[in-house]
Amino acid sequence: MGDLLANKTILVMGVANRRSIAWGCAQVMQEQGANLIYTYQNERLKKGLLKLTGDEASLLECDVADDNSIAQAFSEIKTRYGKIDGIVHAIAYAPKAELEGEITNATRDGFQTALDVSAYSLIAVSKVAMELELLNDPASLVTLTYMGSTRAIPNYNTMGIAKAALESSVRYLARDLGKFGVRVNAISAGAIKTLAVTGIKGHSDLLEISKQRTVDQEAVTIREVGGTCAFLMSDLATGVVGDVIYVDKGVHLI
């Protein structure tokens, strides 16, 4: 146990199961002394999350595609906990048909869904948090991205465009929230076998190629990403603003 995040209360959004990068972040942050709150989208996901945390009191329902759901969840968080010190936004989604073939196969509805859930949701969450004065000064917002935002990764397609929008959102939010002591950053995680990655056609090849291109031929882990998340949530990172930090064991270098 460490004390890097002692006395800090942090909201984690997007834990799907024990393989989730968000869960790796949560584990490391908790080990560093953080008090954690979790949101889930629906009852099915709540069941899995409850098995991991064992604490139903720390779980709240929140559908980031619904502004009213965000407002209700964040209002409840403020009532229970007062102000909090950070939010981990680990939410992304695109219909499976958007994650295969060529980008010209993208549909208008699928594209809008991907951009809404994967990119706009960070802005929506930030907006409600600021309106409710939910965040302390200093506070930290961290989201998760992938290098498909800057490179044309096979089959990643619409999600790559959504991640590019997400990274741009990080920069604009960092500019606008900085005056309130809120810093906003993204972690570009390497390819990890999560629920999200298995939805991409040919994901096994993607994972193997990514592993081969790491500097030690070992895949990055959710705990390694979690270590960087814990740092960004800590007061050691108050000078890191509007950045995209790669945690992929050097895959992005090649």
Side-chain angles (χ1 to χ4, degrees):
M1 292 291 292
D3 59 2
L4 190 63
L5 299 175
N7 302 315
K8 289 190 179 294
T9 300
I10 296 169
L11 170 62
V12 181
M13 309 181 75
V15 176
N17 55 37
R18 64 178 63 256
R19 290 184 175 181
S20 297
I21 295 175
W23 181 239
C25 294
Q27 287 181 296
V28 178
M29 291 191 296
Q30 189 169 50
E31 289 168 5
Q32 290 297 324
N35 177 36
L36 300 181
I37 312 163
Y38 300 88
T39 61
Y40 57 89
Q41 181 187 11
N42 53 44
E43 286 299 315
R44 179 180 61 82
L45 291 173
K46 178 184 178 181
K47 291 178 181 178
L49 184 55
L50 183 56
K51 288 180 180 179
L52 292 176
T53 66
D55 180 15
E56 188 168 10
S58 67
L59 312 183
L60 295 99
E61 184 174 0
C62 181
D63 182 352
V64 295
D66 183 341
D67 290 333
N68 290 330
S69 181
I70 300 172
Q72 183 174 350
F74 281 25
S75 294
E76 182 62 24
I77 289 170
K78 188 166 186 183
T79 298
R80 294 188 193 180
Y81 301 93
K83 289 193 173 185
I84 64 174
D85 303 286
I87 300 173
V88 178
H89 173 277
I91 298 170
Y93 173 76
K96 192 170 183 178
E98 300 288 325
L99 301 173
E100 59 183 40
E102 300 179 352
I103 189 59
T104 50
N105 294 331
T107 65
R108 189 178 300 275
D109 287 345
F111 188 92
Q112 290 175 340
T113 296
L115 269 289
D116 183 20
V117 177
S118 308
Y120 179 73
S121 65
L122 178 65
I123 296 173
V125 162
S126 301
K127 180 179 180 180
V128 174
M130 299 310 295
E131 289 175 346
L132 294 176
E133 298 183 350
L134 181 62
L135 297 169
N136 277 318
D137 177 0
S140 176
L141 270 63
V142 173
T143 191
L144 295 176
T145 186
Y146 175 62
M147 71 176 189
S149 62
T150 59
R151 300 189 184 187
I153 303 295
N155 298 308
Y156 203 57
N157 297 348
T158 301
M159 185 57 75
I161 297 170
K163 290 297 188 183
L166 177 68
E167 291 176 18
S168 183
S169 300
V170 165
R171 292 185 284 272
Y172 281 98
L173 286 168
R175 179 198 68 184
D176 293 343
L177 303 190
K179 57 182 172 289
F180 301 105
V182 179
R183 59 193 184 276
V184 187
N185 293 285
I187 297 173
S188 185
I192 299 173
K193 190 175 182 181
T194 62
L195 183 63
V197 168
T198 56
I200 303 170
K201 185 176 182 180
H203 68 271
S204 296
D205 293 336
L206 175 63
L207 290 166
E208 183 58 32
I209 292 171
S210 181
K211 181 179 178 179
Q212 291 173 1
R213 291 184 178 180
T214 62
V215 293
D216 60 1
Q217 287 72 60
E218 293 292 337
V220 69
T221 68
I222 61 173
R223 288 187 60 86
E224 287 173 323
V225 179
T228 299
C229 183
F231 162 69
L232 289 173
M233 283 290 160
S234 78
D235 291 343
L236 293 177
T238 53
V240 183
V241 177
D243 209 350
V244 177
I245 298 178
Y246 284 86
V247 184
D248 64 1
K249 286 193 169 182
V251 173
H252 70 285
L253 301 176
I254 301 174

